Amino acid sequence: MTSKRITIAAFVTFLVLLATAQGSQAQAIKTDTGTPTLDLRLRYEWADQAVPGRRTGSATTLRARLGYLTPNWNAWDLFGEFEGVWSLGDDDKYNSLLNGVTDRAVIADPDGEELNQVWLRYRGLAGSNLKIGRQRLILDNARFVGNVGWRQNEQTFDAISLENSHWPELKLHYVYTDSAQTILFSSREMQAHLLNVRYSPDSSNIAITGYAYLLDFDDNATLDSQTLGLRLSGQTAKLGYTLEYASQSDYADSSDAGVKPRADYYLLEVQGPIGPITGTLGYEVLQGDDHADTAPFSTPLATLHRFQGWADVFLTTPASGIADLYVGIGFPVGPTQTRLVYHDFAPDAAGPDHGEEYDLLVSFPIRGKLTGLIKYAHYEAQGFGVDTQRFWLQFDFQL
């Protein structure tokens, strides 16, 4: 099996080299018979989790997506996309969560192939976009619903989604989904209604978003929840800002599960330039459980890696909740972009700190549509989890 993976990976790598040989002239291909798409990502990841008996993990993986969008016909079009993830070597050097290697650090990029997206779209109604089928969903900043895009195999949804922007100031987005295709090449069944309404007054730098996410999982009633929230984002002459509040409560079968959600979410973030540097200061709170029969605030459909540090220590909310005070700076050095972020993690109520984390990201162009990325995360545990380090070297190519 290993030799087969290497053969496939070598072939796709050859496609990258062939495409990038076109340099800056490389463009998306469009013909009268449709538009093919190509997305390739080669990544090396190293991980160290300070768990007794667990060794460091390292994985070199290749992710390939090959898609095709048909031409528009009477306001209808169709898109299909294959996705494969292959290890470029022995997969016993890391715990992919599927390979049974439990004495190595977790790197959640298992081998596999799947039909990543296949949807039918109709755009014949004014300002509307209707999609039916397996599709990528990212609502707002992906804090509640996202595609988990950092992992090699992304999360997609079997869904019916309707977007409407008939009125320029108002954007409506409703989704019904009965299944999420997870990063572990498995299907997670549910009945979920997702409603997101964004209002942005004309000639204004303010956007107000209200949302309601109703989740009913087939396999885990403790995660059934009703989340109602309001998000305000805006821009002044110098600063951008975001204020957000959400309340999570009982829904569907959660009342019969013994532990039901009853918690709140808060976010305050400001960002702005300081000369060539862009600074960010934020405070995010996911409340913990107040009583023995309540659960902390959960975000089971989110793109979790994007929040609360890149070391992925807080993929589920601790019982005591979490308050994340973070500060970041970003700055260019020629064509290279660098970002530094510091997190201080504490419970949302009284108690010792969970820990702190230092993150670094450097992204850089290589040639044409080929880009590179170096990333590092260092979590120092105090009252939650274990000391964790992660390092990535990554190359991306898209057509």
Side-chain angles (χ1 to χ4, degrees):
M1 291 299 293
T2 300
S3 61
K4 181 179 179 182
R5 289 197 301 270
I6 293 176
T7 301
I8 295 172
F11 174 71
V12 180
T13 303
F14 169 74
L15 291 179
V16 175
L17 296 174
L18 181 65
T20 55
Q22 302 301 315
S24 60
Q25 300 302 313
Q27 297 180 356
I29 302 169
K30 294 186 178 181
T31 71
D32 292 339
T33 57
T35 305
T37 62
L38 178 65
D39 183 333
L40 304 172
R41 179 196 280 168
L42 178 65
R43 173 190 286 170
Y44 170 77
E45 181 172 348
W46 173 87
D48 181 17
Q49 297 171 304
V51 175
R54 183 178 295 178
R55 295 179 289 170
T56 60
S58 62
T60 302
T61 56
L62 180 69
R63 194 277 312 285
R65 294 182 190 146
L66 182 63
Y68 173 75
L69 177 66
T70 68
N72 184 290
W73 180 78
N74 288 339
W76 293 91
D77 56 5
L78 177 67
F79 179 72
E81 182 181 66
F82 162 84
E83 181 174 66
V85 179
W86 303 285
S87 171
L88 303 190
D90 296 334
D91 64 358
D92 60 357
K93 294 183 179 179
Y94 66 103
N95 180 2
S96 73
L97 297 179
L98 291 184
N99 59 3
V101 182
T102 57
D103 64 340
R104 294 277 192 172
V106 173
I107 298 174
D109 288 325
D111 284 11
E113 299 88 23
E114 70 173 8
L115 192 59
N116 190 50
Q117 295 189 77
V118 54
W119 46 256
L120 180 67
R121 179 170 59 184
Y122 179 66
R123 293 185 287 184
L125 300 175
S128 293
N129 186 340
L130 174 67
K131 278 186 184 179
I132 303 173
R134 184 166 298 175
Q135 56 194 275
R136 178 182 296 123
L137 291 175
I138 303 174
L139 300 182
D140 293 327
N141 62 345
R143 189 62 182 100
F144 296 97
V145 181
N147 68 326
V148 197
W150 175 248
R151 299 297 356 148
Q152 293 285 59
N153 177 36
E154 72 174 339
Q155 175 174 263
T156 55
F157 297 84
D158 294 340
I160 299 173
S161 67
L162 175 63
E163 294 181 84
N164 184 282
S165 54
H166 177 72
W167 299 277
E169 298 179 354
L170 191 65
K171 182 176 181 180
L172 308 174
H173 196 174
Y174 168 75
V175 177
Y176 170 76
T177 176
D178 64 2
S179 178
Q181 309 306 308
T182 76
I183 64 171
L184 300 180
F185 294 98
S186 62
S187 181
R188 191 174 193 185
E189 307 302 322
M190 69 185 80
Q191 291 79 47
H193 300 271
L194 314 173
L195 177 64
N196 187 285
V197 181
R198 183 177 186 269
Y199 174 68
S200 181
D202 189 30
S203 302
S204 169
N205 292 322
I206 296 175
I208 303 170
T209 303
Y211 50 85
Y213 304 139
L214 312 180
L215 310 182
D216 180 6
F217 291 94
D218 291 2
D219 63 345
N220 191 348
T222 62
L223 291 178
D224 290 355
S225 65
Q226 172 182 264
T227 303
L228 307 177
L230 191 65
R231 177 182 177 91
L232 170 67
S233 58
Q235 180 74 42
T236 68
K238 291 291 185 179
L239 291 177
Y241 58 89
T242 301
L243 300 169
E244 188 167 0
Y245 168 77
S247 177
Q248 194 168 85
S249 58
D250 183 33
Y251 181 72
D253 303 318
S254 59
S255 59
D256 302 323
V259 177
K260 55 188 177 182
R262 191 174 71 193
D264 295 333
Y265 170 87
Y266 307 91
L267 172 69
L268 169 61
E269 182 180 281
V270 294
Q271 56 181 318
I274 308 171
I277 296 174
T278 299
T280 302
L281 177 64
Y283 186 65
E284 183 187 49
V285 176
L286 283 74
Q287 284 190 336
D289 47 3
D290 292 331
H291 305 91
D293 63 344
T294 62
F297 198 97
S298 65
T299 56
L301 300 182
T303 297
L304 295 168
H305 178 82
R306 184 175 175 179
F307 305 92
Q308 298 172 348
W310 301 331
D312 288 342
V313 174
F314 298 97
L315 296 182
T316 58
T317 307
S320 58
I322 181 170
D324 177 14
L325 175 64
Y326 57 93
V327 58
I329 59 171
F331 54 91
V333 180
T336 298
Q337 296 290 328
T338 299
R339 181 165 176 78
L340 298 166
V341 186
Y342 168 77
H343 295 265
D344 180 73
F345 301 110
D348 80 284
D353 282 357
H354 290 322
E356 56 186 10
E357 182 168 324
Y358 305 86
D359 293 332
L360 167 68
L361 183 147
V362 179
S363 60
F364 50 93
I366 297 176
R367 186 179 183 187
K369 294 183 179 295
L370 181 64
T371 60
L373 178 145
I374 296 170
K375 193 171 180 179
Y376 175 72
H378 183 179
Y379 174 75
E380 296 181 357
Q382 296 174 10
F384 182 85
V386 298
D387 291 350
T388 302
Q389 295 184 75
R390 294 185 181 275
F391 170 82
W392 300 268
L393 174 62
Q394 177 176 299
F395 301 95
D396 289 275
F397 176 81
Q398 293 182 346
L399 263 184

PDB file of all heavy atoms in Angstrom, residues 371-393:
ATOM      1  N   THR A 371       2.906  28.756  -3.513  1.00  0.00           N
ATOM      2  CA  THR A 371       3.246  29.520  -2.309  1.00  0.00           C
ATOM      3  C   THR A 371       3.757  28.571  -1.227  1.00  0.00           C
ATOM      4  O   THR A 371       3.499  27.362  -1.255  1.00  0.00           O
ATOM      5  CB  THR A 371       2.022  30.283  -1.765  1.00  0.00           C
ATOM      6  OG1 THR A 371       0.988  29.342  -1.428  1.00  0.00           O
ATOM      7  CG2 THR A 371       1.499  31.269  -2.799  1.00  0.00           C
ATOM      8  N   GLY A 372       4.466  29.140  -0.263  1.00  0.00           N
ATOM      9  CA  GLY A 372       5.007  28.358   0.845  1.00  0.00           C
ATOM     10  C   GLY A 372       4.583  28.940   2.181  1.00  0.00           C
ATOM     11  O   GLY A 372       4.188  30.113   2.281  1.00  0.00           O
ATOM     12  N   LEU A 373       4.673  28.109   3.210  1.00  0.00           N
ATOM     13  CA  LEU A 373       4.262  28.525   4.549  1.00  0.00           C
ATOM     14  C   LEU A 373       5.074  27.769   5.592  1.00  0.00           C
ATOM     15  O   LEU A 373       5.306  26.560   5.466  1.00  0.00           O
ATOM     16  CB  LEU A 373       2.767  28.257   4.741  1.00  0.00           C
ATOM     17  CG  LEU A 373       2.123  28.585   6.092  1.00  0.00           C
ATOM     18  CD1 LEU A 373       0.698  29.083   5.876  1.00  0.00           C
ATOM     19  CD2 LEU A 373       2.088  27.354   6.991  1.00  0.00           C
ATOM     20  N   ILE A 374       5.520  28.497   6.611  1.00  0.00           N
ATOM     21  CA  ILE A 374       6.171  27.915   7.783  1.00  0.00           C
ATOM     22  C   ILE A 374       5.351  28.332   8.999  1.00  0.00           C
ATOM     23  O   ILE A 374       4.984  29.504   9.137  1.00  0.00           O
ATOM     24  CB  ILE A 374       7.622  28.410   7.933  1.00  0.00           C
ATOM     25  CG1 ILE A 374       8.463  27.950   6.739  1.00  0.00           C
ATOM     26  CG2 ILE A 374       8.245  27.910   9.233  1.00  0.00           C
ATOM     27  CD1 ILE A 374       9.847  28.584   6.686  1.00  0.00           C
ATOM     28  N   LYS A 375       5.076  27.376   9.885  1.00  0.00           N
ATOM     29  CA  LYS A 375       4.186  27.659  11.005  1.00  0.00           C
ATOM     30  C   LYS A 375       4.664  26.887  12.238  1.00  0.00           C
ATOM     31  O   LYS A 375       5.119  25.738  12.127  1.00  0.00           O
ATOM     32  CB  LYS A 375       2.765  27.241  10.623  1.00  0.00           C
ATOM     33  CG  LYS A 375       1.641  27.723  11.514  1.00  0.00           C
ATOM     34  CD  LYS A 375       0.304  27.387  10.845  1.00  0.00           C
ATOM     35  CE  LYS A 375      -0.884  27.836  11.669  1.00  0.00           C
ATOM     36  NZ  LYS A 375      -2.165  27.519  10.983  1.00  0.00           N
ATOM     37  N   TYR A 376       4.534  27.525  13.412  1.00  0.00           N
ATOM     38  CA  TYR A 376       4.995  26.903  14.652  1.00  0.00           C
ATOM     39  C   TYR A 376       4.054  27.301  15.787  1.00  0.00           C
ATOM     40  O   TYR A 376       3.608  28.455  15.873  1.00  0.00           O
ATOM     41  CB  TYR A 376       6.412  27.345  14.979  1.00  0.00           C
ATOM     42  CG  TYR A 376       6.927  26.847  16.307  1.00  0.00           C
ATOM     43  CD1 TYR A 376       7.256  25.513  16.499  1.00  0.00           C
ATOM     44  CD2 TYR A 376       7.083  27.727  17.375  1.00  0.00           C
ATOM     45  CE1 TYR A 376       7.735  25.052  17.721  1.00  0.00           C
ATOM     46  CE2 TYR A 376       7.558  27.278  18.604  1.00  0.00           C
ATOM     47  CZ  TYR A 376       7.884  25.948  18.770  1.00  0.00           C
ATOM     48  OH  TYR A 376       8.344  25.498  19.977  1.00  0.00           O
ATOM     49  N   ALA A 377       3.751  26.340  16.657  1.00  0.00           N
ATOM     50  CA  ALA A 377       2.909  26.591  17.832  1.00  0.00           C
ATOM     51  C   ALA A 377       3.545  25.937  19.050  1.00  0.00           C
ATOM     52  O   ALA A 377       3.995  24.784  18.981  1.00  0.00           O
ATOM     53  CB  ALA A 377       1.510  26.036  17.613  1.00  0.00           C
ATOM     54  N   HIS A 378       3.567  26.668  20.173  1.00  0.00           N
ATOM     55  CA  HIS A 378       4.164  26.166  21.424  1.00  0.00           C
ATOM     56  C   HIS A 378       3.222  26.482  22.581  1.00  0.00           C
ATOM     57  O   HIS A 378       3.068  27.637  22.967  1.00  0.00           O
ATOM     58  CB  HIS A 378       5.524  26.821  21.651  1.00  0.00           C
ATOM     59  CG  HIS A 378       6.239  26.310  22.866  1.00  0.00           C
ATOM     60  ND1 HIS A 378       7.486  26.751  23.237  1.00  0.00           N
ATOM     61  CD2 HIS A 378       5.898  25.380  23.788  1.00  0.00           C
ATOM     62  CE1 HIS A 378       7.863  26.136  24.347  1.00  0.00           C
ATOM     63  NE2 HIS A 378       6.907  25.304  24.699  1.00  0.00           N
ATOM     64  N   TYR A 379       2.579  25.424  23.103  1.00  0.00           N
ATOM     65  CA  TYR A 379       1.653  25.572  24.224  1.00  0.00           C
ATOM     66  C   TYR A 379       2.339  25.118  25.506  1.00  0.00           C
ATOM     67  O   TYR A 379       2.902  24.014  25.565  1.00  0.00           O
ATOM     68  CB  TYR A 379       0.396  24.743  23.989  1.00  0.00           C
ATOM     69  CG  TYR A 379      -0.563  24.716  25.170  1.00  0.00           C
ATOM     70  CD1 TYR A 379      -1.351  25.818  25.473  1.00  0.00           C
ATOM     71  CD2 TYR A 379      -0.658  23.592  25.992  1.00  0.00           C
ATOM     72  CE1 TYR A 379      -2.225  25.807  26.546  1.00  0.00           C
ATOM     73  CE2 TYR A 379      -1.533  23.566  27.075  1.00  0.00           C
ATOM     74  CZ  TYR A 379      -2.314  24.673  27.345  1.00  0.00           C
ATOM     75  OH  TYR A 379      -3.175  24.667  28.417  1.00  0.00           O
ATOM     76  N   GLU A 380       2.280  25.968  26.538  1.00  0.00           N
ATOM     77  CA  GLU A 380       2.842  25.642  27.849  1.00  0.00           C
ATOM     78  C   GLU A 380       1.697  25.442  28.826  1.00  0.00           C
ATOM     79  O   GLU A 380       0.987  26.386  29.188  1.00  0.00           O
ATOM     80  CB  GLU A 380       3.770  26.762  28.327  1.00  0.00           C
ATOM     81  CG  GLU A 380       4.998  26.949  27.443  1.00  0.00           C
ATOM     82  CD  GLU A 380       5.916  28.052  27.948  1.00  0.00           C
ATOM     83  OE1 GLU A 380       5.557  28.711  28.957  1.00  0.00           O
ATOM     84  OE2 GLU A 380       6.983  28.264  27.337  1.00  0.00           O
ATOM     85  N   ALA A 381       1.489  24.191  29.231  1.00  0.00           N
ATOM     86  CA  ALA A 381       0.365  23.850  30.104  1.00  0.00           C
ATOM     87  C   ALA A 381       0.624  24.299  31.533  1.00  0.00           C
ATOM     88  O   ALA A 381       1.748  24.231  32.033  1.00  0.00           O
ATOM     89  CB  ALA A 381       0.133  22.343  30.072  1.00  0.00           C
ATOM     90  N   GLN A 382      -0.462  24.755  32.171  1.00  0.00           N
ATOM     91  CA  GLN A 382      -0.412  25.100  33.596  1.00  0.00           C
ATOM     92  C   GLN A 382      -1.466  24.306  34.359  1.00  0.00           C
ATOM     93  O   GLN A 382      -1.131  23.530  35.242  1.00  0.00           O
ATOM     94  CB  GLN A 382      -0.591  26.608  33.771  1.00  0.00           C
ATOM     95  CG  GLN A 382       0.547  27.410  33.147  1.00  0.00           C
ATOM     96  CD  GLN A 382       0.305  28.904  33.196  1.00  0.00           C
ATOM     97  OE1 GLN A 382      -0.615  29.392  33.851  1.00  0.00           O
ATOM     98  NE2 GLN A 382       1.129  29.662  32.480  1.00  0.00           N
ATOM     99  N   GLY A 383      -2.736  24.482  33.993  1.00  0.00           N
ATOM    100  CA  GLY A 383      -3.780  23.739  34.679  1.00  0.00           C
ATOM    101  C   GLY A 383      -4.618  22.888  33.753  1.00  0.00           C
ATOM    102  O   GLY A 383      -5.574  22.238  34.181  1.00  0.00           O
ATOM    103  N   PHE A 384      -4.287  22.863  32.436  1.00  0.00           N
ATOM    104  CA  PHE A 384      -5.083  22.097  31.481  1.00  0.00           C
ATOM    105  C   PHE A 384      -4.189  21.551  30.382  1.00  0.00           C
ATOM    106  O   PHE A 384      -3.315  22.251  29.854  1.00  0.00           O
ATOM    107  CB  PHE A 384      -6.169  22.972  30.859  1.00  0.00           C
ATOM    108  CG  PHE A 384      -7.060  22.222  29.900  1.00  0.00           C
ATOM    109  CD1 PHE A 384      -8.149  21.507  30.363  1.00  0.00           C
ATOM    110  CD2 PHE A 384      -6.786  22.221  28.541  1.00  0.00           C
ATOM    111  CE1 PHE A 384      -8.961  20.805  29.480  1.00  0.00           C
ATOM    112  CE2 PHE A 384      -7.593  21.533  27.651  1.00  0.00           C
ATOM    113  CZ  PHE A 384      -8.686  20.815  28.131  1.00  0.00           C
ATOM    114  N   GLY A 385      -4.419  20.283  30.005  1.00  0.00           N
ATOM    115  CA  GLY A 385      -3.686  19.685  28.906  1.00  0.00           C
ATOM    116  C   GLY A 385      -2.233  19.412  29.242  1.00  0.00           C
ATOM    117  O   GLY A 385      -1.835  19.370  30.412  1.00  0.00           O
ATOM    118  N   VAL A 386      -1.419  19.235  28.197  1.00  0.00           N
ATOM    119  CA  VAL A 386       0.008  18.957  28.346  1.00  0.00           C
ATOM    120  C   VAL A 386       0.792  19.900  27.443  1.00  0.00           C
ATOM    121  O   VAL A 386       0.250  20.461  26.477  1.00  0.00           O
ATOM    122  CB  VAL A 386       0.333  17.492  27.985  1.00  0.00           C
ATOM    123  CG1 VAL A 386      -0.381  16.524  28.917  1.00  0.00           C
ATOM    124  CG2 VAL A 386      -0.017  17.192  26.521  1.00  0.00           C
ATOM    125  N   ASP A 387       2.066  20.092  27.757  1.00  0.00           N
ATOM    126  CA  ASP A 387       2.937  20.884  26.882  1.00  0.00           C
ATOM    127  C   ASP A 387       2.880  20.295  25.471  1.00  0.00           C
ATOM    128  O   ASP A 387       3.012  19.084  25.280  1.00  0.00           O
ATOM    129  CB  ASP A 387       4.378  20.858  27.386  1.00  0.00           C
ATOM    130  CG  ASP A 387       4.549  21.607  28.695  1.00  0.00           C
ATOM    131  OD1 ASP A 387       3.610  22.306  29.117  1.00  0.00           O
ATOM    132  OD2 ASP A 387       5.637  21.479  29.300  1.00  0.00           O
ATOM    133  N   THR A 388       2.680  21.182  24.481  1.00  0.00           N
ATOM    134  CA  THR A 388       2.518  20.724  23.104  1.00  0.00           C
ATOM    135  C   THR A 388       3.262  21.654  22.165  1.00  0.00           C
ATOM    136  O   THR A 388       3.193  22.875  22.303  1.00  0.00           O
ATOM    137  CB  THR A 388       1.023  20.699  22.703  1.00  0.00           C
ATOM    138  OG1 THR A 388       0.306  19.839  23.600  1.00  0.00           O
ATOM    139  CG2 THR A 388       0.840  20.196  21.282  1.00  0.00           C
ATOM    140  N   GLN A 389       3.971  21.053  21.213  1.00  0.00           N
ATOM    141  CA  GLN A 389       4.617  21.817  20.158  1.00  0.00           C
ATOM    142  C   GLN A 389       4.219  21.226  18.801  1.00  0.00           C
ATOM    143  O   GLN A 389       4.089  20.007  18.655  1.00  0.00           O
ATOM    144  CB  GLN A 389       6.137  21.766  20.282  1.00  0.00           C
ATOM    145  CG  GLN A 389       6.698  22.431  21.526  1.00  0.00           C
ATOM    146  CD  GLN A 389       8.212  22.410  21.520  1.00  0.00           C
ATOM    147  OE1 GLN A 389       8.854  23.172  20.794  1.00  0.00           O
ATOM    148  NE2 GLN A 389       8.791  21.535  22.321  1.00  0.00           N
ATOM    149  N   ARG A 390       4.057  22.098  17.834  1.00  0.00           N
ATOM    150  CA  ARG A 390       3.781  21.668  16.466  1.00  0.00           C
ATOM    151  C   ARG A 390       4.547  22.562  15.485  1.00  0.00           C
ATOM    152  O   ARG A 390       4.666  23.771  15.696  1.00  0.00           O
ATOM    153  CB  ARG A 390       2.285  21.729  16.153  1.00  0.00           C
ATOM    154  CG  ARG A 390       1.453  20.741  16.951  1.00  0.00           C
ATOM    155  CD  ARG A 390      -0.010  20.736  16.522  1.00  0.00           C
ATOM    156  NE  ARG A 390      -0.777  19.804  17.322  1.00  0.00           N
ATOM    157  CZ  ARG A 390      -0.896  18.505  17.074  1.00  0.00           C
ATOM    158  NH1 ARG A 390      -0.295  17.993  16.005  1.00  0.00           N
ATOM    159  NH2 ARG A 390      -1.607  17.715  17.854  1.00  0.00           N
ATOM    160  N   PHE A 391       5.027  21.940  14.412  1.00  0.00           N
ATOM    161  CA  PHE A 391       5.752  22.670  13.362  1.00  0.00           C
ATOM    162  C   PHE A 391       5.257  22.179  12.004  1.00  0.00           C
ATOM    163  O   PHE A 391       5.017  20.983  11.810  1.00  0.00           O
ATOM    164  CB  PHE A 391       7.257  22.433  13.472  1.00  0.00           C
ATOM    165  CG  PHE A 391       8.033  22.948  12.290  1.00  0.00           C
ATOM    166  CD1 PHE A 391       8.369  24.287  12.205  1.00  0.00           C
ATOM    167  CD2 PHE A 391       8.412  22.096  11.255  1.00  0.00           C
ATOM    168  CE1 PHE A 391       9.068  24.783  11.093  1.00  0.00           C
ATOM    169  CE2 PHE A 391       9.107  22.570  10.156  1.00  0.00           C
ATOM    170  CZ  PHE A 391       9.438  23.915  10.079  1.00  0.00           C
ATOM    171  N   TRP A 392       5.077  23.130  11.062  1.00  0.00           N
ATOM    172  CA  TRP A 392       4.629  22.791   9.714  1.00  0.00           C
ATOM    173  C   TRP A 392       5.498  23.472   8.663  1.00  0.00           C
ATOM    174  O   TRP A 392       5.924  24.613   8.831  1.00  0.00           O
ATOM    175  CB  TRP A 392       3.204  23.260   9.468  1.00  0.00           C
ATOM    176  CG  TRP A 392       2.153  22.704  10.367  1.00  0.00           C
ATOM    177  CD1 TRP A 392       1.383  21.595  10.161  1.00  0.00           C
ATOM    178  CD2 TRP A 392       1.708  23.251  11.619  1.00  0.00           C
ATOM    179  NE1 TRP A 392       0.509  21.413  11.198  1.00  0.00           N
ATOM    180  CE2 TRP A 392       0.683  22.415  12.112  1.00  0.00           C
ATOM    181  CE3 TRP A 392       2.094  24.357  12.376  1.00  0.00           C
ATOM    182  CZ2 TRP A 392       0.032  22.652  13.317  1.00  0.00           C
ATOM    183  CZ3 TRP A 392       1.451  24.598  13.573  1.00  0.00           C
ATOM    184  CH2 TRP A 392       0.426  23.746  14.040  1.00  0.00           C
ATOM    185  N   LEU A 393       5.758  22.764   7.587  1.00  0.00           N
ATOM    186  CA  LEU A 393       6.322  23.322   6.371  1.00  0.00           C
ATOM    187  C   LEU A 393       5.392  22.889   5.247  1.00  0.00           C
ATOM    188  O   LEU A 393       5.147  21.691   5.060  1.00  0.00           O
ATOM    189  CB  LEU A 393       7.736  22.803   6.113  1.00  0.00           C
ATOM    190  CG  LEU A 393       8.381  23.223   4.785  1.00  0.00           C
ATOM    191  CD1 LEU A 393       8.530  24.746   4.718  1.00  0.00           C
ATOM    192  CD2 LEU A 393       9.728  22.544   4.586  1.00  0.00           C
TER     193      LEU A 393
END
